Amino acid sequence: MSERIPLSAPCIDGNEWTYVKDCLDTGWVSSAGRYVERFEEAVRDYTGAGHAVACINGTAALHIALIICGVRPGDEVIVPTVTFIAPVNTVRYAGAFPLFMDCDEYYNIDTDKVMEFILKDTRFSDGATYNARTGRRIAALLPVHVFGNAARLQDISALCRQRRIPVIEDATESLGTWYTDSSGGRKRHTGLVGRIGCISFNGNKIITTGGGGMIVTDSTVLARRARYLTTQAKDDELYYVHKEVGYNYRMSNVNAAIGVAQLEKLPRYLAVKRANYVLYQELLTDMEDLCLAGVPPYAENNLWMYALQIGDSSRGKSRDRIIDTLQGHGVETRPLWYPNHLQKPYRQCQAYRIEKAMGMWRKTLNIPCSVDLSPEKVTRVVEELRHA
Ligand SMILES: *Cc1c(COP(=O)(O)O)cnc(C)c1O
């Protein structure tokens, strides 16, 4: 039996052991220590962010981002239906309600439909935008850069500015993805196109800290608020004075130490992701019913997760058969997330003209994409697909 090929596994082959040992040797193992600051600095340097605030995970980063951008109980936040469910849940943590949008050809939120919705079905009064149907305030737009593909934000950004809807980017999957704005020519890292962005370092992401996240923003005010709220809202560190409800959301030094080591290798990982994407594409060319999903042309995408599309996708049966067969041969693949507007906690929430998401769900599966995936393993995955 040949070696099992996981979908996306971490690769610990750099300075991780050295830096973690340093934490253990010095006793700095908790939520203070120089690796947390070093990691924040490294993420700032890499992304060009004015500020970076390390959090315990990407979900916590999103929760804080919503709060500090002014999302309040009873508000609504525009979210994509096609995404891992975490960002949708954080909307509820903040007491607000998700308003679901359809996806585009790159699995990202369809910003044309978002614009149509804002222009047709909302009203603007007293400096805020209200959903005409529910009367609730639209407090934020939360696009997700799915699989590392940059969501198209160029046109929607101006409208959101006019309508005072902050854009909070879920860049959890898109470390290494750069948005190339055709007007200015200035490259911007995803997460820094809107007001604030959140990155994740979960075990399956392009780099990992074990578990971890980061808020990135150019706003000094938001960064200060994020740091304050993620560390229990301490107004006086010695005398325990708190003027707000805080959270214990700070990243630990051990996690940050792993992150510093991982980030050193990001350029190499990005190159592997690209090489394997090209190889998959080549090997799949002669297979009539299967092709690799394309990526948006207006960005440099990190190619974190590969999406395979099945031509004959009748009710998702071919997809499930492929997943089962490959599982039996030790190759892990997964379907796309089930659309969130159909998940039990969210069925009552508004879903706006969702027409494409189910079709994408039926025809898509993710195939192995780890950064230590050798060309031989990519070839084996494709051979297994051929047999299935
Ligand atoms: C991984 C992920 C998150 C959550 O990040 P964690 O660090 O696991 O909390 C949020 N949104 C998306 C789209 C993700 O893929």
Side-chain angles (χ1 to χ4, degrees):
M1 182 77 191
S2 32
E3 202 187 333
R4 199 178 145 270
I5 303 180
L7 186 70
S8 178
C11 178
I12 309 296
D13 62 350
N15 286 320
E16 289 88 349
W17 283 99
T18 312
Y19 298 161
V20 169
K21 183 167 187 306
D22 187 27
C23 295
L24 301 179
D25 287 343
T26 57
W28 289 93
V29 294
S30 194
S31 55
R34 66 192 174 92
Y35 283 104
V36 181
E37 277 144 43
R38 250 181 86 178
F39 190 41
E40 287 178 339
E41 192 184 314
V43 169
R44 270 200 319 269
D45 282 352
Y46 178 76
T47 61
H51 306 273
V53 180
C55 300
I56 196 141
N57 57 50
T59 309
L62 283 162
H63 182 196
I64 294 297
L66 288 169
I67 293 173
I68 63 183
C69 286
V71 176
R72 299 279 170 264
D75 285 339
E76 286 179 5
V77 175
I78 300 173
V79 297
T81 189
V82 173
T83 171
F84 179 53
I85 202 168
V88 181
N89 287 337
T90 62
V91 171
R92 290 298 298 135
Y93 301 167
F97 298 94
L99 194 167
F100 292 101
M101 286 286 161
D102 206 5
C103 65
D104 65 13
E105 62 187 304
Y106 305 117
Y107 300 92
N108 283 320
I109 190 165
D110 183 335
T111 46
D112 285 338
K113 278 187 180 161
V114 178
M115 284 195 284
E116 180 190 86
F117 167 78
I118 292 175
L119 293 172
K120 280 173 45 185
D121 293 352
T122 69
R123 61 190 165 74
F124 188 61
S125 78
D126 293 334
T129 297
Y130 294 87
N131 184 342
R133 186 199 284 192
T134 61
R136 291 189 186 122
R137 185 173 71 114
I138 312 279
L141 168 67
L142 206 175
V144 179
H145 302 293
V146 172
F147 302 151
N149 291 347
R152 199 160 61 81
L153 297 179
Q154 193 160 320
D155 301 329
I156 189 82
S157 294
L159 181 61
C160 284
R161 247 190 318 277
Q162 272 172 22
R163 293 303 209 92
R164 310 270 178 86
I165 301 171
V167 178
I168 300 168
E169 293 171 68
D170 181 331
T172 50
E173 303 182 353
S174 65
L175 180 66
T177 295
W178 296 81
Y179 198 86
T180 45
D181 190 345
S182 62
S183 56
R186 187 168 77 95
K187 280 204 316 187
R188 276 169 303 171
H189 195 274
T190 43
L192 294 164
V193 180
R195 188 171 294 177
I196 197 164
C198 299
I199 300 170
S200 165
F201 309 107
N202 186 33
N204 64 342
K205 302 300 199 281
I206 191 161
I207 68 164
T208 185
T209 57
M214 190 79 75
I215 291 175
V216 289
T217 180
D218 287 329
S219 158
T220 307
V221 174
L222 289 181
R224 194 181 303 133
R225 291 271 306 143
R227 209 170 287 282
Y228 172 74
L229 286 181
T230 52
T231 53
Q232 307 277 29
K234 295 183 182 117
D235 288 281
D236 187 298
E237 301 238 358
L238 182 61
Y239 289 97
Y240 300 107
V241 178
H242 307 272
K243 293 181 188 155
E244 281 186 66
V245 177
Y247 299 83
N248 186 13
Y249 279 179
R250 189 77 170 146
M251 181 183 278
S252 88
N253 206 42
V254 176
N255 293 113
I258 298 173
V260 172
Q262 289 264 308
L263 194 58
E264 291 170 352
K265 298 178 288 181
L266 182 59
R268 170 155 68 87
Y269 287 176
L270 287 166
V272 173
K273 293 278 188 190
R274 181 156 301 275
N276 281 341
Y277 179 83
V278 172
L279 183 56
Y280 267 126
Q281 216 168 19
E282 268 171 29
L283 295 173
L284 285 163
T285 41
D286 65 330
M287 287 172 70
E288 238 168 62
D289 273 338
L290 295 179
C291 73
L292 216 50
V295 293
Y298 48 79
E300 285 172 30
N301 306 282
N302 69 0
L303 301 170
W304 167 63
M305 181 67 79
Y306 310 132
L308 190 69
Q309 297 183 338
I310 305 164
D312 162 35
S313 57
S314 44
R315 281 176 298 153
K317 273 193 187 147
S318 349
R319 179 202 62 194
D320 293 343
R321 206 182 50 236
I322 294 175
I323 292 173
D324 279 354
T325 311
L326 265 68
Q327 187 66 34
H329 291 90
V331 175
E332 188 189 3
T333 58
R334 286 189 75 118
L336 187 62
W337 311 284
Y338 192 61
N340 286 302
H341 72 289
L342 301 174
Q343 301 277 10
K344 190 163 173 238
Y346 298 115
R347 272 178 219 153
Q348 309 302 318
C349 295
Q350 186 176 353
Y352 180 80
R353 284 191 55 207
I354 294 182
E355 298 147 334
K356 206 165 180 170
M358 278 316 285
M360 294 298 259
W361 176 73
R362 275 193 292 268
K363 74 173 182 183
T364 303
L365 72 158
N366 293 120
I367 53 176
C369 68
S370 306
V371 288
D372 61 355
L373 199 65
S374 62
E376 293 70 36
K377 283 183 183 165
V378 171
T379 309
R380 200 185 120 206
V381 173
V382 176
E383 281 318 304
E384 296 293 356
L385 283 168
R386 200 181 298 280
H387 292 138

